[in-house]
Amino acid sequence: MFDFDGFFKGWAGDIAVPSFLERVYTEVVFAGGERRVLELGSRASRDDHDARSLIRVDGGTWTGVDWREGPGVDLVGVVDLLAKDGKLPTDNDLVLSISTLEHDPRWPATIRAAVASVRNGGAIALCCAGPGSPLASRLSAQM
């Protein structure tokens, strides 16, 4: 179940991210059966608004990957290097990245690793801010 009310309160003024997550929730994650989710850039910058707490994958698995330890991180490392070393989970139903690629200097390699880690028929959901985004600027300042 997705906590839309809590999410909208936390991201007031930026409608794009909640709308994106609503589509992921309704069209991909709970389309039926157990799901394997790989979240890239999973470190929660705010304790109450990480994707894992907002989208539950009942009966499935959720693996969060980030380059540094913290809340929401199961696997620490650089995504493409983890993939090269065989440490990045594969055969995922969904690879999810929410507002992290704009902070990743290796984003092309990260996207290639994401594509390689999703199962045939799975989905990749990427959401990132463009240059000058007020939300991205605020979050970068907090990191």
Side-chain angles (χ1 to χ4, degrees), residues 50-100:
D50 65 300
R52 190 186 315 219
S53 68
L54 295 168
I55 302 173
R56 289 196 321 261
V57 181
D58 297 329
T61 61
W62 188 295
T63 303
V65 180
D66 205 289
W67 64 274
R68 58 185 173 167
E69 292 181 351
V73 179
D74 303 301
L75 182 58
V76 177
V78 177
V79 171
D80 63 295
L81 298 179
L82 289 168
K84 181 180 176 184
D85 292 341
K87 296 179 182 176
L88 192 68
T90 58
D91 202 33
N92 297 291
D93 296 291
L94 172 66
V95 177
L96 177 66
S97 177
I98 303 170
S99 298
T100 58

Side-chain angles (χ1 to χ4, degrees), residues 11 39 41-51 66 68 70-73 98-100 103 135 138-140 142-143:
W11 292 92
E39 182 185 6
S42 63
R43 185 176 171 275
S45 60
R46 297 172 5 190
D47 292 336
D48 59 342
H49 287 90
D50 65 300
D66 205 289
R68 58 185 173 167
V73 179
I98 303 170
S99 298
T100 58
H103 307 286
L135 178 61
R138 275 198 322 269
L139 291 177
S140 289
Q142 295 173 8
M143 297 173 94

Side-chain angles (χ1 to χ4, degrees), residues 26-38:
T26 57
E27 297 176 18
V28 180
V29 176
F30 289 100
E34 293 183 3
R35 296 294 182 174
R36 288 178 51 125
V37 177
L38 176 64

